[in-house]
PDB file of all heavy atoms in Angstrom:
ATOM      1  N   LEU A1244     157.477  21.910 107.677  1.00 95.00           N
ATOM      2  CA  LEU A1244     156.733  21.440 106.516  1.00 95.00           C
ATOM      3  C   LEU A1244     155.912  20.197 106.829  1.00 95.00           C
ATOM      4  O   LEU A1244     154.850  19.982 106.241  1.00 95.00           O
ATOM      5  CB  LEU A1244     157.667  21.193 105.336  1.00 95.00           C
ATOM      6  CG  LEU A1244     158.262  22.462 104.725  1.00 95.00           C
ATOM      7  CD1 LEU A1244     159.276  22.116 103.640  1.00 95.00           C
ATOM      8  CD2 LEU A1244     157.163  23.363 104.170  1.00 95.00           C
ATOM      9  N   ALA A1245     156.364  19.390 107.774  1.00 95.00           N
ATOM     10  CA  ALA A1245     155.559  18.239 108.212  1.00 95.00           C
ATOM     11  C   ALA A1245     154.282  18.725 108.885  1.00 95.00           C
ATOM     12  O   ALA A1245     153.193  18.177 108.661  1.00 95.00           O
ATOM     13  CB  ALA A1245     156.362  17.347 109.155  1.00 95.00           C
ATOM     14  N   ILE A1246     154.390  19.770 109.688  1.00 96.00           N
ATOM     15  CA  ILE A1246     153.216  20.351 110.344  1.00 96.00           C
ATOM     16  C   ILE A1246     152.296  20.985 109.308  1.00 96.00           C
ATOM     17  O   ILE A1246     151.078  20.814 109.359  1.00 96.00           O
ATOM     18  CB  ILE A1246     153.642  21.369 111.417  1.00 96.00           C
ATOM     19  CG1 ILE A1246     154.323  20.649 112.584  1.00 96.00           C
ATOM     20  CG2 ILE A1246     152.452  22.193 111.899  1.00 96.00           C
ATOM     21  CD1 ILE A1246     155.009  21.557 113.574  1.00 96.00           C
ATOM     22  N   VAL A1247     152.871  21.705 108.359  1.00 97.00           N
ATOM     23  CA  VAL A1247     152.080  22.324 107.297  1.00 97.00           C
ATOM     24  C   VAL A1247     151.285  21.255 106.549  1.00 97.00           C
ATOM     25  O   VAL A1247     150.077  21.412 106.302  1.00 97.00           O
ATOM     26  CB  VAL A1247     152.985  23.116 106.327  1.00 97.00           C
ATOM     27  CG1 VAL A1247     152.272  23.433 105.030  1.00 97.00           C
ATOM     28  CG2 VAL A1247     153.469  24.390 106.991  1.00 97.00           C
ATOM     29  N   LYS A1248     151.927  20.177 106.182  1.00 97.00           N
ATOM     30  CA  LYS A1248     151.250  19.089 105.459  1.00 97.00           C
ATOM     31  C   LYS A1248     150.086  18.555 106.277  1.00 97.00           C
ATOM     32  O   LYS A1248     148.982  18.351 105.763  1.00 97.00           O
ATOM     33  CB  LYS A1248     152.236  17.970 105.138  1.00 97.00           C
ATOM     34  CG  LYS A1248     151.612  16.830 104.344  1.00 97.00           C
ATOM     35  CD  LYS A1248     152.672  15.787 103.977  1.00 97.00           C
ATOM     36  CE  LYS A1248     152.141  14.812 102.963  1.00 97.00           C
ATOM     37  NZ  LYS A1248     151.658  13.581 103.509  1.00 97.00           N
ATOM     38  N   ARG A1249     150.308  18.336 107.547  1.00 97.00           N
ATOM     39  CA  ARG A1249     149.255  17.810 108.426  1.00 97.00           C
ATOM     40  C   ARG A1249     148.093  18.811 108.530  1.00 97.00           C
ATOM     41  O   ARG A1249     146.929  18.413 108.484  1.00 97.00           O
ATOM     42  CB  ARG A1249     149.840  17.503 109.807  1.00 97.00           C
ATOM     43  CG  ARG A1249     148.847  16.966 110.780  1.00 97.00           C
ATOM     44  CD  ARG A1249     148.436  15.551 110.427  1.00 97.00           C
ATOM     45  NE  ARG A1249     147.439  15.103 111.390  1.00 97.00           N
ATOM     46  CZ  ARG A1249     146.278  14.563 111.072  1.00 97.00           C
ATOM     47  NH1 ARG A1249     145.963  14.363 109.825  1.00 97.00           N
ATOM     48  NH2 ARG A1249     145.430  14.195 111.998  1.00 97.00           N
ATOM     49  N   LEU A1250     148.392  20.095 108.680  1.00 98.00           N
ATOM     50  CA  LEU A1250     147.346  21.113 108.784  1.00 98.00           C
ATOM     51  C   LEU A1250     146.516  21.204 107.506  1.00 98.00           C
ATOM     52  O   LEU A1250     145.303  21.414 107.556  1.00 98.00           O
ATOM     53  CB  LEU A1250     147.942  22.479 109.115  1.00 98.00           C
ATOM     54  CG  LEU A1250     148.538  22.630 110.512  1.00 98.00           C
ATOM     55  CD1 LEU A1250     149.214  23.991 110.658  1.00 98.00           C
ATOM     56  CD2 LEU A1250     147.485  22.424 111.584  1.00 98.00           C
ATOM     57  N   VAL A1251     147.158  21.057 106.363  1.00 98.00           N
ATOM     58  CA  VAL A1251     146.435  21.083 105.088  1.00 98.00           C
ATOM     59  C   VAL A1251     145.546  19.843 104.975  1.00 98.00           C
ATOM     60  O   VAL A1251     144.355  19.938 104.660  1.00 98.00           O
ATOM     61  CB  VAL A1251     147.414  21.162 103.893  1.00 98.00           C
ATOM     62  CG1 VAL A1251     146.706  20.906 102.575  1.00 98.00           C
ATOM     63  CG2 VAL A1251     148.115  22.512 103.865  1.00 98.00           C
ATOM     64  N   GLU A1252     146.111  18.676 105.258  1.00 98.00           N
ATOM     65  CA  GLU A1252     145.372  17.432 105.086  1.00 98.00           C
ATOM     66  C   GLU A1252     144.205  17.296 106.056  1.00 98.00           C
ATOM     67  O   GLU A1252     143.149  16.780 105.684  1.00 98.00           O
ATOM     68  CB  GLU A1252     146.317  16.242 105.201  1.00 98.00           C
ATOM     69  CG  GLU A1252     147.254  16.140 104.005  1.00 98.00           C
ATOM     70  CD  GLU A1252     148.276  15.030 104.121  1.00 98.00           C
ATOM     71  OE1 GLU A1252     148.450  14.470 105.232  1.00 98.00           O
ATOM     72  OE2 GLU A1252     148.907  14.720 103.094  1.00 98.00           O
ATOM     73  N   VAL A1253     144.362  17.755 107.291  1.00 98.00           N
ATOM     74  CA  VAL A1253     143.287  17.644 108.273  1.00 98.00           C
ATOM     75  C   VAL A1253     142.078  18.499 107.874  1.00 98.00           C
ATOM     76  O   VAL A1253     140.956  18.253 108.318  1.00 98.00           O
ATOM     77  CB  VAL A1253     143.787  17.989 109.694  1.00 98.00           C
ATOM     78  CG1 VAL A1253     143.931  19.473 109.907  1.00 98.00           C
ATOM     79  CG2 VAL A1253     142.873  17.395 110.753  1.00 98.00           C
ATOM     80  N   GLN A1254     142.289  19.468 106.983  1.00 98.00           N
ATOM     81  CA  GLN A1254     141.207  20.319 106.495  1.00 98.00           C
ATOM     82  C   GLN A1254     140.696  19.869 105.125  1.00 98.00           C
ATOM     83  O   GLN A1254     139.949  20.597 104.467  1.00 98.00           O
ATOM     84  CB  GLN A1254     141.672  21.775 106.439  1.00 98.00           C
ATOM     85  CG  GLN A1254     142.025  22.311 107.822  1.00 98.00           C
ATOM     86  CD  GLN A1254     142.466  23.741 107.757  1.00 98.00           C
ATOM     87  OE1 GLN A1254     141.653  24.634 107.941  1.00 98.00           O
ATOM     88  NE2 GLN A1254     143.742  23.961 107.465  1.00 98.00           N
ATOM     89  N   GLY A1255     141.113  18.693 104.683  1.00 98.00           N
ATOM     90  CA  GLY A1255     140.612  18.145 103.432  1.00 98.00           C
ATOM     91  C   GLY A1255     141.362  18.578 102.196  1.00 98.00           C
ATOM     92  O   GLY A1255     140.857  18.431 101.081  1.00 98.00           O
ATOM     93  N   GLY A1256     142.571  19.107 102.368  1.00 98.00           N
ATOM     94  CA  GLY A1256     143.353  19.578 101.231  1.00 98.00           C
ATOM     95  C   GLY A1256     144.566  18.723 100.953  1.00 98.00           C
ATOM     96  O   GLY A1256     144.800  17.702 101.602  1.00 98.00           O
ATOM     97  N   GLN A1257     145.339  19.149  99.973  1.00 98.00           N
ATOM     98  CA  GLN A1257     146.589  18.494  99.599  1.00 98.00           C
ATOM     99  C   GLN A1257     147.651  19.560  99.398  1.00 98.00           C
ATOM    100  O   GLN A1257     147.337  20.718  99.125  1.00 98.00           O
ATOM    101  CB  GLN A1257     146.426  17.700  98.312  1.00 98.00           C
ATOM    102  CG  GLN A1257     145.451  16.559  98.413  1.00 98.00           C
ATOM    103  CD  GLN A1257     145.336  15.804  97.092  1.00 98.00           C
ATOM    104  OE1 GLN A1257     145.734  16.280  96.026  1.00 98.00           O
ATOM    105  NE2 GLN A1257     144.782  14.602  97.153  1.00 98.00           N
ATOM    106  N   ILE A1258     148.913  19.148  99.532  1.00 98.00           N
ATOM    107  CA  ILE A1258     150.027  20.076  99.342  1.00 98.00           C
ATOM    108  C   ILE A1258     151.056  19.447  98.414  1.00 98.00           C
ATOM    109  O   ILE A1258     151.208  18.215  98.392  1.00 98.00           O
ATOM    110  CB  ILE A1258     150.665  20.477 100.692  1.00 98.00           C
ATOM    111  CG1 ILE A1258     151.677  21.607 100.490  1.00 98.00           C
ATOM    112  CG2 ILE A1258     151.270  19.275 101.396  1.00 98.00           C
ATOM    113  CD1 ILE A1258     152.078  22.313 101.761  1.00 98.00           C
ATOM    114  N   GLY A1259     151.730  20.293  97.653  1.00 97.00           N
ATOM    115  CA  GLY A1259     152.770  19.821  96.755  1.00 97.00           C
ATOM    116  C   GLY A1259     153.853  20.871  96.605  1.00 97.00           C
ATOM    117  O   GLY A1259     153.706  22.014  97.043  1.00 97.00           O
ATOM    118  N   VAL A1260     154.947  20.468  95.971  1.00 97.00           N
ATOM    119  CA  VAL A1260     156.078  21.369  95.784  1.00 97.00           C
ATOM    120  C   VAL A1260     156.704  21.137  94.415  1.00 97.00           C
ATOM    121  O   VAL A1260     156.755  20.005  93.935  1.00 97.00           O
ATOM    122  CB  VAL A1260     157.130  21.184  96.912  1.00 97.00           C
ATOM    123  CG1 VAL A1260     157.690  19.774  96.924  1.00 97.00           C
ATOM    124  CG2 VAL A1260     158.252  22.210  96.804  1.00 97.00           C
ATOM    125  N   GLU A1261     157.138  22.217  93.789  1.00 97.00           N
ATOM    126  CA  GLU A1261     157.924  22.178  92.561  1.00 97.00           C
ATOM    127  C   GLU A1261     159.123  23.077  92.777  1.00 97.00           C
ATOM    128  O   GLU A1261     158.995  24.159  93.357  1.00 97.00           O
ATOM    129  CB  GLU A1261     157.118  22.694  91.373  1.00 97.00           C
ATOM    130  CG  GLU A1261     155.916  21.858  91.024  1.00 97.00           C
ATOM    131  CD  GLU A1261     155.122  22.448  89.868  1.00 97.00           C
ATOM    132  OE1 GLU A1261     155.618  23.367  89.196  1.00 97.00           O
ATOM    133  OE2 GLU A1261     153.998  21.979  89.659  1.00 97.00           O
ATOM    134  N   SER A1262     160.288  22.632  92.330  1.00 97.00           N
ATOM    135  CA  SER A1262     161.482  23.432  92.570  1.00 97.00           C
ATOM    136  C   SER A1262     162.559  23.132  91.547  1.00 97.00           C
ATOM    137  O   SER A1262     162.637  22.023  91.014  1.00 97.00           O
ATOM    138  CB  SER A1262     162.017  23.146  93.979  1.00 97.00           C
ATOM    139  OG  SER A1262     163.051  24.036  94.289  1.00 97.00           O
ATOM    140  N   ARG A1263     163.383  24.142  91.325  1.00 96.00           N
ATOM    141  CA  ARG A1263     164.578  24.000  90.494  1.00 96.00           C
ATOM    142  C   ARG A1263     165.728  24.698  91.201  1.00 96.00           C
ATOM    143  O   ARG A1263     165.598  25.864  91.603  1.00 96.00           O
ATOM    144  CB  ARG A1263     164.372  24.627  89.127  1.00 96.00           C
ATOM    145  CG  ARG A1263     163.418  23.845  88.275  1.00 96.00           C
ATOM    146  CD  ARG A1263     163.566  24.258  86.846  1.00 96.00           C
ATOM    147  NE  ARG A1263     162.853  23.285  86.036  1.00 96.00           N
ATOM    148  CZ  ARG A1263     162.399  23.527  84.850  1.00 96.00           C
ATOM    149  NH1 ARG A1263     162.581  24.709  84.318  1.00 96.00           N
ATOM    150  NH2 ARG A1263     161.783  22.603  84.171  1.00 96.00           N
ATOM    151  N   LEU A1264     166.829  23.990  91.345  1.00 95.00           N
ATOM    152  CA  LEU A1264     167.994  24.574  92.006  1.00 95.00           C
ATOM    153  C   LEU A1264     168.410  25.861  91.305  1.00 95.00           C
ATOM    154  O   LEU A1264     168.480  25.919  90.083  1.00 95.00           O
ATOM    155  CB  LEU A1264     169.168  23.587  92.004  1.00 95.00           C
ATOM    156  CG  LEU A1264     169.120  22.513  93.074  1.00 95.00           C
ATOM    157  CD1 LEU A1264     170.284  21.538  92.897  1.00 95.00           C
ATOM    158  CD2 LEU A1264     169.149  23.115  94.466  1.00 95.00           C
ATOM    159  N   GLY A1265     168.649  26.882  92.098  1.00 94.00           N
ATOM    160  CA  GLY A1265     169.087  28.165  91.583  1.00 94.00           C
ATOM    161  C   GLY A1265     167.995  29.016  90.971  1.00 94.00           C
ATOM    162  O   GLY A1265     168.245  30.148  90.565  1.00 94.00           O
ATOM    163  N   GLU A1266     166.775  28.500  90.889  1.00 96.00           N
ATOM    164  CA  GLU A1266     165.683  29.251  90.261  1.00 96.00           C
ATOM    165  C   GLU A1266     164.533  29.543  91.202  1.00 96.00           C
ATOM    166  O   GLU A1266     163.807  30.502  91.005  1.00 96.00           O
ATOM    167  CB  GLU A1266     165.166  28.493  89.042  1.00 96.00           C
ATOM    168  CG  GLU A1266     166.186  28.379  87.925  1.00 96.00           C
ATOM    169  CD  GLU A1266     165.631  27.662  86.714  1.00 96.00           C
ATOM    170  OE1 GLU A1266     164.399  27.640  86.535  1.00 96.00           O
ATOM    171  OE2 GLU A1266     166.434  27.108  85.957  1.00 96.00           O
ATOM    172  N   GLY A1267     164.338  28.695  92.202  1.00 97.00           N
ATOM    173  CA  GLY A1267     163.268  28.951  93.148  1.00 97.00           C
ATOM    174  C   GLY A1267     162.357  27.767  93.374  1.00 97.00           C
ATOM    175  O   GLY A1267     162.544  26.691  92.810  1.00 97.00           O
ATOM    176  N   THR A1268     161.345  28.008  94.206  1.00 98.00           N
ATOM    177  CA  THR A1268     160.445  26.951  94.652  1.00 98.00           C
ATOM    178  C   THR A1268     159.019  27.481  94.706  1.00 98.00           C
ATOM    179  O   THR A1268     158.787  28.636  95.046  1.00 98.00           O
ATOM    180  CB  THR A1268     160.864  26.465  96.056  1.00 98.00           C
ATOM    181  OG1 THR A1268     162.212  26.001  95.994  1.00 98.00           O
ATOM    182  CG2 THR A1268     159.961  25.360  96.569  1.00 98.00           C
ATOM    183  N   THR A1269     158.071  26.592  94.407  1.00 98.00           N
ATOM    184  CA  THR A1269     156.649  26.894  94.578  1.00 98.00           C
ATOM    185  C   THR A1269     156.020  25.808  95.438  1.00 98.00           C
ATOM    186  O   THR A1269     156.087  24.625  95.102  1.00 98.00           O
ATOM    187  CB  THR A1269     155.907  26.954  93.231  1.00 98.00           C
ATOM    188  OG1 THR A1269     156.448  28.020  92.448  1.00 98.00           O
ATOM    189  CG2 THR A1269     154.414  27.193  93.446  1.00 98.00           C
ATOM    190  N   PHE A1270     155.448  26.221  96.563  1.00 98.00           N
ATOM    191  CA  PHE A1270     154.626  25.348  97.384  1.00 98.00           C
ATOM    192  C   PHE A1270     153.192  25.702  97.076  1.00 98.00           C
ATOM    193  O   PHE A1270     152.811  26.876  97.130  1.00 98.00           O
ATOM    194  CB  PHE A1270     154.903  25.547  98.868  1.00 98.00           C
ATOM    195  CG  PHE A1270     156.166  24.876  99.335  1.00 98.00           C
ATOM    196  CD1 PHE A1270     157.358  25.566  99.360  1.00 98.00           C
ATOM    197  CD2 PHE A1270     156.149  23.561  99.743  1.00 98.00           C
ATOM    198  CE1 PHE A1270     158.529  24.958  99.782  1.00 98.00           C
ATOM    199  CE2 PHE A1270     157.316  22.934 100.166  1.00 98.00           C
ATOM    200  CZ  PHE A1270     158.503  23.630 100.188  1.00 98.00           C
ATOM    201  N   SER A1271     152.374  24.700  96.754  1.00 98.00           N
ATOM    202  CA  SER A1271     150.954  24.914  96.482  1.00 98.00           C
ATOM    203  C   SER A1271     150.142  23.980  97.364  1.00 98.00           C
ATOM    204  O   SER A1271     150.522  22.834  97.584  1.00 98.00           O
ATOM    205  CB  SER A1271     150.628  24.621  95.021  1.00 98.00           C
ATOM    206  OG  SER A1271     151.312  25.495  94.168  1.00 98.00           O
ATOM    207  N   PHE A1272     149.023  24.511  97.864  1.00 98.00           N
ATOM    208  CA  PHE A1272     148.126  23.653  98.639  1.00 98.00           C
ATOM    209  C   PHE A1272     146.687  24.009  98.318  1.00 98.00           C
ATOM    210  O   PHE A1272     146.386  25.122  97.884  1.00 98.00           O
ATOM    211  CB  PHE A1272     148.410  23.758 100.145  1.00 98.00           C
ATOM    212  CG  PHE A1272     148.151  25.094 100.781  1.00 98.00           C
ATOM    213  CD1 PHE A1272     146.939  25.346 101.413  1.00 98.00           C
ATOM    214  CD2 PHE A1272     149.109  26.092 100.753  1.00 98.00           C
ATOM    215  CE1 PHE A1272     146.695  26.577 102.006  1.00 98.00           C
ATOM    216  CE2 PHE A1272     148.873  27.321 101.343  1.00 98.00           C
ATOM    217  CZ  PHE A1272     147.662  27.564 101.978  1.00 98.00           C
ATOM    218  N   THR A1273     145.810  23.034  98.505  1.00 98.00           N
ATOM    219  CA  THR A1273     144.397  23.221  98.229  1.00 98.00           C
ATOM    220  C   THR A1273     143.606  23.153  99.531  1.00 98.00           C
ATOM    221  O   THR A1273     143.994  22.463 100.465  1.00 98.00           O
ATOM    222  CB  THR A1273     143.856  22.139  97.274  1.00 98.00           C
ATOM    223  OG1 THR A1273     143.996  20.848  97.892  1.00 98.00           O
ATOM    224  CG2 THR A1273     144.581  22.160  95.943  1.00 98.00           C
ATOM    225  N   LEU A1274     142.493  23.881  99.544  1.00 98.00           N
ATOM    226  CA  LEU A1274     141.516  23.795 100.625  1.00 98.00           C
ATOM    227  C   LEU A1274     140.142  23.857  99.976  1.00 98.00           C
ATOM    228  O   LEU A1274     139.953  24.561  98.980  1.00 98.00           O
ATOM    229  CB  LEU A1274     141.706  24.933 101.626  1.00 98.00           C
ATOM    230  CG  LEU A1274     142.987  24.872 102.449  1.00 98.00           C
ATOM    231  CD1 LEU A1274     143.137  26.144 103.286  1.00 98.00           C
ATOM    232  CD2 LEU A1274     143.011  23.642 103.351  1.00 98.00           C
ATOM    233  N   PRO A1275     139.190  23.107 100.518  1.00 98.00           N
ATOM    234  CA  PRO A1275     137.866  23.058  99.891  1.00 98.00           C
ATOM    235  C   PRO A1275     137.116  24.378  99.976  1.00 98.00           C
ATOM    236  O   PRO A1275     137.226  25.111 100.961  1.00 98.00           O
ATOM    237  CB  PRO A1275     137.130  21.959 100.663  1.00 98.00           C
ATOM    238  CG  PRO A1275     137.903  21.751 101.911  1.00 98.00           C
ATOM    239  CD  PRO A1275     139.296  22.239 101.680  1.00 98.00           C
ATOM    240  N   LEU A1276     136.350  24.652  98.930  1.00 97.00           N
ATOM    241  CA  LEU A1276     135.455  25.802  98.926  1.00 97.00           C
ATOM    242  C   LEU A1276     134.197  25.473  99.721  1.00 97.00           C
ATOM    243  O   LEU A1276     133.814  24.317  99.828  1.00 97.00           O
ATOM    244  CB  LEU A1276     135.069  26.185  97.495  1.00 97.00           C
ATOM    245  CG  LEU A1276     136.198  26.688  96.598  1.00 97.00           C
ATOM    246  CD1 LEU A1276     135.693  26.802  95.164  1.00 97.00           C
ATOM    247  CD2 LEU A1276     136.725  28.012  97.092  1.00 97.00           C
TER     248      LEU A1276
END
């Protein structure tokens, strides 16, 4: 995930995470159009 964050940021994007124990996780990242 540290590498993923770096790869997203070096391309001008951002990454985030939302999660709830026992329910699941969503990783979202942006990249410019």
